[in-house]
């Protein structure tokens, strides 16, 4: 009748069946199978082993315990892990019963980590809630029987459950809670053992040694212990016995129990799951509360604690004290949310993988600001930057252009260091090494491009796009404004830093830059010069270089601080950022599958020049040709032979498309995919039957980046230009012209294939949005009602002044 009774019966039947099957080979299986332990009173293990021949993955892990991890990325090396489940995580919202869905996902994650070769321990709440559910059921059942016999059915509605004493609930709930854990872990062929402890057990040296020995033996047998305070007998905590140093901690609740246990067992990591995202500087319900990513000892004075959780006896203050005590003992700590359905299914594994989840406690405070602080500084200074006069922003950009030439030797020396490291490491391909390399001519081109941006910035921010007279003395303007804070992530291209910085400055945007570590020395000096230029008008912090060990995925989650992400790099990087961005728009393209179509009326001279330039001038560029489409009538012509000869001379590897291969007796290697971006001296050749066939092919296999037609027929060319839906469509010109500098934009932050806001090379205009400004004289909407005295005019006003008044 009771859930726990039925579950226990099922568990006994399952255990009996498993034992009857595997007892003969018990010793052999014990050395091959993983278990999860749950631990019982007086440290007498009541482990029930469940055996299976299902293989598991073991990840070699080794770590000498002593000091806690300094950075989140090191958490993947944690071998011994304690997971503390708070009452709010384990119990339902009505506090009567367990949150079975959350528990199941937590058990699954613990099982995954256990099967990787880690040693998992669980400190769990929930016995009181489980027992309350059982006792309420028994009391209601008992009352219903008595009242049915003596008082009639009408009084059943008046039944009430008396206040249940917590110790009695714990006594009634422990067995059911344990049975539930055992049933769940059985699904992963893992054993669980239960241990109940009290504060007095830790004050008795012999009992503490027994506990330590029991836990080590369980872990040695690949069993994960489930540990809880023995709430059926635990005395009230003493008021002045809390956290008195490394060697003493009062076991008041499961937070302090988990901390004490983690230090006793020399655990590498303690994960404390609660019903909040982590530690906030103010109570989480406050409007100005901010989640603290990393908390350092000594920061307690900056925290204002709120009320404790709806259940349990701890609270965030108790969690922080326990976490700091564990940290002092050499165990790293993360406090995170275990109740959010969006993250519960992977919160534990995310933490162990080093992702930015919850609050990480670290003893080592970095010298510089956090990325969150950098974003806040950038936004603050960015607003000042946008309020500068256009000529002041232009002066900053011109100063940066001068510094690029004046400090040329220092920049090239730093770049040489990066190149030497990259070459010795052997991790970068030749195209990427070419992107990484700077030269005097590159710096001169950068300087020229920056001066073009300075000129174009004169009427960018605050430009009036439209004026409308809504009514007499009521005028509306639409004006350009900066987007806000930009995050630009780029690989192997240090020249990207001054280009993007200049565009951000010209458009009044704040900027966060995250460059690849392969260009760290060059990026640092270029960023220093950028901030030096910004300093002439007091906005040095408007451009920030993220130099912390922040993962790209973590940066993409800062939706409260970043307004637009612009990735510049490989298609793999762009796709990863597009997937990782949470609530932040991404401007960019994932691939540059560019086509050149050779029409049957093409000029031989133009064809050879355009194909050579599009493919061979810089094959690693995103605007390089990847697929050559040839009209069927040209296949056996002298023109086609010249194309093949030229590509052979340029050492371009050819892949045959399906149709092209069908025409050949001995063909080159057939292409694996018509959507391939080679980024090297390789290309695909495919045959099409007509210009419309070429358009259809590009729409199906292209990436909407840049596509070219080569023909002498103007009517054919115009049809191609009008009907092909790509960001850039060219006639009789190389695909390599798809570039902000070559378009006269000065530079670009990237090339967008999106269909909103900006397409193609994104320069200054693409980094602006608009706002509406309405100027009135006491006008109200009621003035324009049927009974009102005013009428809408909606007259367009000529824009005579370029900037808003």
């Amino acid at each position: 009748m009771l859930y726990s009774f039925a579950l226990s019966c099922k568990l006994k039947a399952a255990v009996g069946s498993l034992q009857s099957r595997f007892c003969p080979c018990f010793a052999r299986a014990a050395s091959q199978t993983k278990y999860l332990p749950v631990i019982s009173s007086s440290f007498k293990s009541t482990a029930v082993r469940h055996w299976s021949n299902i293989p598991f993955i073991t990840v070699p892990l080794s770590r000498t315990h002593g000091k806690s991890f300094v950075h989140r990325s090191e958490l993947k090396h944690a071998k011994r892990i304690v997971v503390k489940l708070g009452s709010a995580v384990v119990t339902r919202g009505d506090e009567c019963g367990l949150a079975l869905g959350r528990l199941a996902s937590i058990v699954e994650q613990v099982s995954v980590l256990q099967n990787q070769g880690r040693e998992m321990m669980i400190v769990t709440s929930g016995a009181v809630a489980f027992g309350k559910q059982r006792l309420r059921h028994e009391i209601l059942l008992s009352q219903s029987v008595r009242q049915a016999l003596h008082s009639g059915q009408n009084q059943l509605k008046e039944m009430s459950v008396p206040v249940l004493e917590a110790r009695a609930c714990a006594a009634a709930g422990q067995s059911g809670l344990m049975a539930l854990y055992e049933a769940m872990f059985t699904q992963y062929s893992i054993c669980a053992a239960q241990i109940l402890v009290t504060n007095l057990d830790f004050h008795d040296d012999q009992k503490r040694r027994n506990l330590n020995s029991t836990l080590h033996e369980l872990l040695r047998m690949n069993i994960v212990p489930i540990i809880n305070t023995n709430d059926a007998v635990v005395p009230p905590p003493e008021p002045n016995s809390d956290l008195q140093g490394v060697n003493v901690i009062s076991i008041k609740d499961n937070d302090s129990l988990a901390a004490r246990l983690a230090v006793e067992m020399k655990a590498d990591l303690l994960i404390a799951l609660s019903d909040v995202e982590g530690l906030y500087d103010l109570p989480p319900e406050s409007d100005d509360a901010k989640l603290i990513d990393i908390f350092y000892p000594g920061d307690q004075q900056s925290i204002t604690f709120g009320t404790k959780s709806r259940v349990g006896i701890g609270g965030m203050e108790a969690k922080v004290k326990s976490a700091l005590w564990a940290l002092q003992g050499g165990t790293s700590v993360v406090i995170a949310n275990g109740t959010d359905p969006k993250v519960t299914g992977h919160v534990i594994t995310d933490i162990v993988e080093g992702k930015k989840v919850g609050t990480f406690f670290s003893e080592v405070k970095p010298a510089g600001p956090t990325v969150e602080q950098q974003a806040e500084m950038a936004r603050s200074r960015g607003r000042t930057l946008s309020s500068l006069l256009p000529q002041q922003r232009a002066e900053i950009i011109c100063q940066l252009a001068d510094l690029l030439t004046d400090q040329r030797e220092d920049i090239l020396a730093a770049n040489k260091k990066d190149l030497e490291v990259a070459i010795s490491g052997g991790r970068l391909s030749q195209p990427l090494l070419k992107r990484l390399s700077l030269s005097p001519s590159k710096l001169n081109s950068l300087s020229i491009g920056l001066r073009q941006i300075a000129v174009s910035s004169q009427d960018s921010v605050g430009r009036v796009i439209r004026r409308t007279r809504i009514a007499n003395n009521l005028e509306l303007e639409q004006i350009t404004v900066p987007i806000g804070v930009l995050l630009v992530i780029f690989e192997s291209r240090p020249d990207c830093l001054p280009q993007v910085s200049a565009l951000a400055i010209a458009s009044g945007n704040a900027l966060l830059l995250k460059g690849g570590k392969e260009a760290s020395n060059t990026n640092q000096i270029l960023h220093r010069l950028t901030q030096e230029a910004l300093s002439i008008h007091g906005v040095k912090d408007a451009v920030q270089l993220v130099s912390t060990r922040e993962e790209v995925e973590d940066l993409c989650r800062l939706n409260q601080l970043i307004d637009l992400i612009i990735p510049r790099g490989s298609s793999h990087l762009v796709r990863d950022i597009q997937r990782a961005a949470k609530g932040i728009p991404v401007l960019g393209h994932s691939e540059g599958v560019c086509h050149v179509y050779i029409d049957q009326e093409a000029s031989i001279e133009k064809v050879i020049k355009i194909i050579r330039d599009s493919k061979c001038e810089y094959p690693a560029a995103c605007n390089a040709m990847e697929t050559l489409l040839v009209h069927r009538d040209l296949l056996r012509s002298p023109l086609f032979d010249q194309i093949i000869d030229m590509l052979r001379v340029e050492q371009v590897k050819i892949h045959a498309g399906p149709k092209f291969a069908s025409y050949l007796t001995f063909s080159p290697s057939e292409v694996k995919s018509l959507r391939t971006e080679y980024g090297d001296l390789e290309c695909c050749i495919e045959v099409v039957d007509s210009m419309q066939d070429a358009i259809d092919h590009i729409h199906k296999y292209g990436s909407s980046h840049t596509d070219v037609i080569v023909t002498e027929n103007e009517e054919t060319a115009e049809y191609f230009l009008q009907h092909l839906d790509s960001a850039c469509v060219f006639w009789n010109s190389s695909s390599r012209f798809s570039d902000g500098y070559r378009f006269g934009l000065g530079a670009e932050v990237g090339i967008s294939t999106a269909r909103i806001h900006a397409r193609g090379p994104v320069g200054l205009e693409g980094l602006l949005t608009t706002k509406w400004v309405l100027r009135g004289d006491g006008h109200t909407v009621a003035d324009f009602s049927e009974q009102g005295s005013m009428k809408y005019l909606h007259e367009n006003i000529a824009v005579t002044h370029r900037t808003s008044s």
Side-chain angles (χ1 to χ4, degrees):
M1 187 163 58
L2 291 174
Y3 170 73
S4 59
F5 176 74
L7 185 59
S8 298
C9 291
K10 291 179 182 179
L11 176 64
K12 290 176 181 177
V15 171
S17 174
L18 289 168
Q19 286 178 335
S20 65
R21 289 184 60 194
F22 294 102
C23 279
C25 55
F26 184 88
R28 176 164 49 87
S31 65
Q32 300 173 350
T33 310
K34 291 277 183 182
Y35 312 97
L36 281 172
V38 183
I39 311 166
S40 278
S41 61
S42 302
F43 317 131
K44 293 179 181 179
S45 174
T46 58
V48 180
R49 294 177 176 82
H50 305 288
W51 306 99
S52 171
N53 58 0
I54 299 175
F56 56 87
I57 299 172
T58 301
V59 178
L61 296 164
S62 61
R63 167 173 151 80
T64 302
H65 185 84
K67 290 188 176 181
S68 59
F69 294 116
V70 174
H71 193 270
R72 286 180 185 270
S73 62
E74 299 171 343
L75 295 180
K76 61 179 177 287
H77 301 300
K79 179 174 176 61
R80 184 169 292 173
I81 302 172
V82 176
V83 178
K84 182 264 176 182
L85 306 179
S87 300
V89 176
V90 176
T91 61
R92 297 197 313 245
D94 60 5
E95 302 176 25
C96 293
L98 303 179
L100 298 179
R102 285 201 292 267
L103 273 181
S105 66
I106 288 169
V107 166
E108 180 178 18
Q109 293 172 82
V110 170
S111 301
V112 167
L113 295 173
Q114 178 78 2
N115 285 335
Q116 289 178 352
R118 305 180 198 271
E119 297 174 344
M120 304 299 296
M121 292 180 280
I122 296 177
V123 175
T124 183
S125 302
V128 173
F130 198 84
K132 185 183 292 187
Q133 183 185 34
R134 294 181 63 184
L135 294 181
R136 282 170 63 97
H137 184 90
E138 286 293 337
I139 291 170
L140 290 173
L141 181 63
S142 176
Q143 287 182 349
S144 64
V145 171
R146 285 199 304 270
Q147 292 191 17
L149 291 174
H150 301 291
S151 305
Q153 296 292 333
N154 291 335
Q155 294 189 16
L156 288 177
K157 298 178 182 178
E158 300 175 6
M159 289 191 304
S160 61
V161 178
V163 176
L164 298 174
E165 206 272 331
R167 292 190 181 88
C169 292
Q174 286 289 359
S175 60
L177 178 64
M178 189 57 219
L180 179 62
Y181 273 117
E182 288 178 343
M184 288 182 173
F185 278 123
T186 300
Q187 304 303 310
Y188 302 94
S189 303
I190 290 175
C191 179
Q194 183 183 32
I195 293 179
L196 299 176
V197 298
T198 66
N199 191 32
L200 297 177
D201 295 324
F202 284 94
H203 289 291
D204 186 299
D205 290 341
Q206 184 59 47
K207 288 185 177 181
R208 193 168 69 250
R209 284 194 294 270
N210 290 346
L211 171 62
N212 192 289
S213 174
T214 300
L215 289 172
H216 276 95
E217 180 64 14
L218 291 171
L219 294 176
R220 187 187 67 80
M221 295 170 63
N222 293 322
I223 298 175
V224 175
I226 300 178
I227 307 155
N228 193 5
T229 53
N230 191 354
D231 293 327
V233 298
V234 65
E238 299 177 16
N240 298 316
S241 63
D242 187 30
L243 306 172
Q244 298 172 8
V246 174
N247 298 318
V248 179
I249 180 173
S250 174
I251 307 301
K252 296 173 142 188
D253 49 39
N254 277 340
D255 294 314
S256 50
L257 170 60
R260 180 65 184 261
L261 181 74
V263 174
E264 287 279 345
M265 293 300 295
K266 295 182 171 58
D268 300 314
L269 174 62
L270 167 60
I271 300 174
L273 297 183
S274 183
D275 58 350
V276 292
E277 313 308 318
L279 179 60
Y280 287 81
D281 57 351
L282 296 172
E285 63 274 8
S286 302
D287 290 337
D288 297 328
K290 294 180 182 178
L291 180 65
I292 298 173
D293 172 40
I294 305 177
F295 186 80
Y296 306 96
D299 285 354
Q300 296 96 313
Q301 302 302 319
S302 63
I303 305 299
T304 301
F305 294 102
T307 58
K308 72 179 186 68
S309 170
R310 59 176 173 82
V311 289
I313 59 175
M316 187 53 71
E317 187 170 8
K319 288 175 176 57
V320 171
K321 288 182 178 179
S322 299
L324 291 174
W325 191 89
L327 187 67
Q328 189 179 0
T331 297
S332 297
V333 183
V334 175
I335 296 177
N337 192 337
T339 62
D340 186 346
K342 294 180 180 178
V343 300
T344 301
H346 48 82
V347 60
I348 298 174
T349 51
D350 280 355
I351 290 171
V352 176
E353 289 172 6
K355 295 181 180 178
K356 186 174 285 189
V357 178
T359 300
F360 172 66
F361 286 70
S362 175
E363 289 188 291
V364 180
K365 199 164 189 174
T370 66
V371 66
E372 290 85 359
Q373 290 170 334
Q374 285 185 292
E376 289 173 352
M377 286 191 295
R379 185 179 293 281
S380 174
R381 291 294 89 191
R383 288 179 176 138
T384 306
L385 174 67
S386 65
S387 67
L388 295 177
L389 296 174
Q391 54 266 35
Q392 290 177 308
R393 288 192 294 270
E395 287 171 5
I396 294 173
I397 299 170
C398 288
Q399 176 69 13
L400 177 56
D402 290 339
L403 289 170
L404 290 179
T405 54
D406 295 343
Q407 304 292 324
R408 179 188 298 116
E409 297 304 321
D410 291 342
I411 296 170
L412 294 177
N415 187 242
K416 184 180 178 181
K417 289 181 182 178
D418 290 328
L419 284 169
E420 288 173 349
V421 171
I423 293 170
S424 63
R427 292 178 296 176
L428 294 184
S429 64
Q430 280 302 124
L432 289 179
L433 283 173
K434 189 174 180 181
R435 288 186 179 186
L436 176 60
S437 174
L438 291 180
S439 64
S441 61
K442 267 192 179 181
L443 291 176
N444 287 334
S445 296
L446 274 175
S447 182
I448 294 170
L450 264 55
R451 295 184 190 283
Q452 290 180 349
I453 295 171
V455 173
S456 62
S457 69
Q458 295 293 332
D459 61 349
S460 56
V461 180
R463 185 177 73 254
V464 179
I465 296 175
R466 177 187 304 172
R467 275 201 178 103
T468 305
R469 181 175 289 108
I470 304 297
N472 290 329
N473 295 323
L474 185 64
E475 293 187 1
L476 179 69
E477 284 183 347
Q478 185 183 17
I479 63 173
T480 57
V481 294
I483 289 174
V485 178
L486 312 178
L487 168 62
V488 177
I489 302 169
F490 57 99
E491 296 176 318
S492 304
R493 291 195 60 173
D495 55 331
C496 172
L497 193 152
Q499 287 179 336
V500 172
S501 297
L503 287 170
I505 293 165
S507 57
N509 285 290
L511 181 62
L512 287 179
L513 292 157
K514 174 68 172 174
K517 61 182 179 181
E518 65 278 355
S520 59
N521 291 297
T522 317
N523 288 338
Q524 286 173 13
I525 188 170
L526 290 174
H527 176 250
R528 178 174 62 78
L529 297 178
T530 302
Q531 289 202 320
E532 184 178 335
L534 286 162
S535 298
I536 65 175
H537 287 297
V539 287
K540 172 185 174 183
D541 293 331
V543 176
Q544 298 280 333
L545 179 65
V546 179
S547 55
T548 59
R549 297 169 63 181
E550 230 71 33
E551 297 295 334
V552 168
E553 184 175 344
D554 294 328
L555 292 173
C556 292
R557 293 175 177 170
L558 302 177
N559 59 308
Q560 299 298 318
L561 299 171
I562 295 169
D563 300 300
L564 180 67
I565 301 175
I566 304 172
R568 293 195 64 177
S570 66
S571 58
H572 178 73
L573 169 73
V574 178
R575 283 195 298 268
D576 284 348
I577 290 172
Q578 288 172 333
R579 282 194 295 265
K582 305 295 183 184
I584 310 175
V586 178
L587 184 69
H589 66 281
S590 59
E591 292 173 315
V593 183
C594 303
H595 296 74
V596 174
Y597 165 58
I598 308 302
D599 186 58
Q600 74 265 40
E601 298 183 62
S603 160
I604 293 179
E605 182 182 353
K606 292 177 183 176
V607 166
I608 299 301
K609 285 180 61 180
I610 290 170
I611 294 176
R612 179 187 284 114
D613 192 76
S614 295
K615 179 71 258 183
C616 308
E617 195 268 341
Y618 190 8
C622 64
N623 56 12
M625 181 195 78
E626 304 294 0
T627 299
L628 175 63
L629 299 178
V630 180
H631 193 282
R632 180 184 58 190
D633 294 347
L634 297 176
L635 265 188
R636 291 178 173 84
S637 68
L639 171 58
F640 185 72
D641 293 338
Q642 290 185 43
I643 293 172
I644 298 300
D645 289 342
M646 181 272 294
L647 292 175
R648 185 181 294 114
V649 170
E650 297 290 344
Q651 299 182 332
V652 177
K653 183 178 180 180
I654 297 173
H655 302 274
K659 286 186 179 181
F660 181 42
S662 69
Y663 283 93
L664 304 174
T665 304
F666 300 100
S667 69
S669 61
E670 189 165 342
V671 69
K672 295 180 180 178
S673 170
L674 290 168
R675 294 188 175 93
T676 302
E677 181 181 14
Y678 298 100
D680 207 342
L681 285 173
E682 298 181 62
C683 74
C684 168
I685 296 180
E686 182 58 310
V687 175
V688 291
D689 296 331
S690 64
M691 182 261 293
Q692 184 59 54
D693 193 17
I695 291 175
D696 293 341
H697 178 101
I698 295 171
H699 283 163
K700 184 174 182 179
Y701 299 109
S703 60
S704 301
H705 191 295
T706 301
D707 299 290
V708 177
I709 182 173
V710 184
T711 183
E712 295 303 301
N713 188 314
E714 184 176 354
E715 183 179 347
T716 300
E718 289 300 328
Y719 186 92
F720 185 90
L721 297 176
Q722 295 301 319
H723 289 80
L724 186 63
D725 185 21
S726 294
C728 299
V729 189
F730 299 164
W731 173 27
N732 285 348
S733 53
S734 169
S735 62
R736 295 278 289 119
F737 279 106
S738 181
D739 175 82
Y741 174 75
R742 297 183 181 109
F743 276 16
L745 305 178
E748 65 184 34
V749 293
I751 294 181
S752 172
T753 56
R755 302 185 184 277
I756 56 173
H757 180 53
R759 292 190 82 190
V762 180
L764 179 57
E765 295 293 326
L767 300 182
L768 296 170
T769 184
T770 64
K771 72 176 179 182
W772 297 90
V773 176
L774 183 65
R775 295 181 176 88
D777 187 21
H779 294 77
T780 65
V781 172
D783 294 333
F784 297 87
S785 64
E786 291 183 4
Q787 294 78 30
S789 59
M790 302 194 73
K791 300 294 182 183
Y792 288 111
L793 298 177
H794 293 150
E795 297 174 352
N796 291 328
I797 305 174
V799 179
T800 54
H801 300 288
R802 296 290 289 171
T803 55
S804 174
S805 57

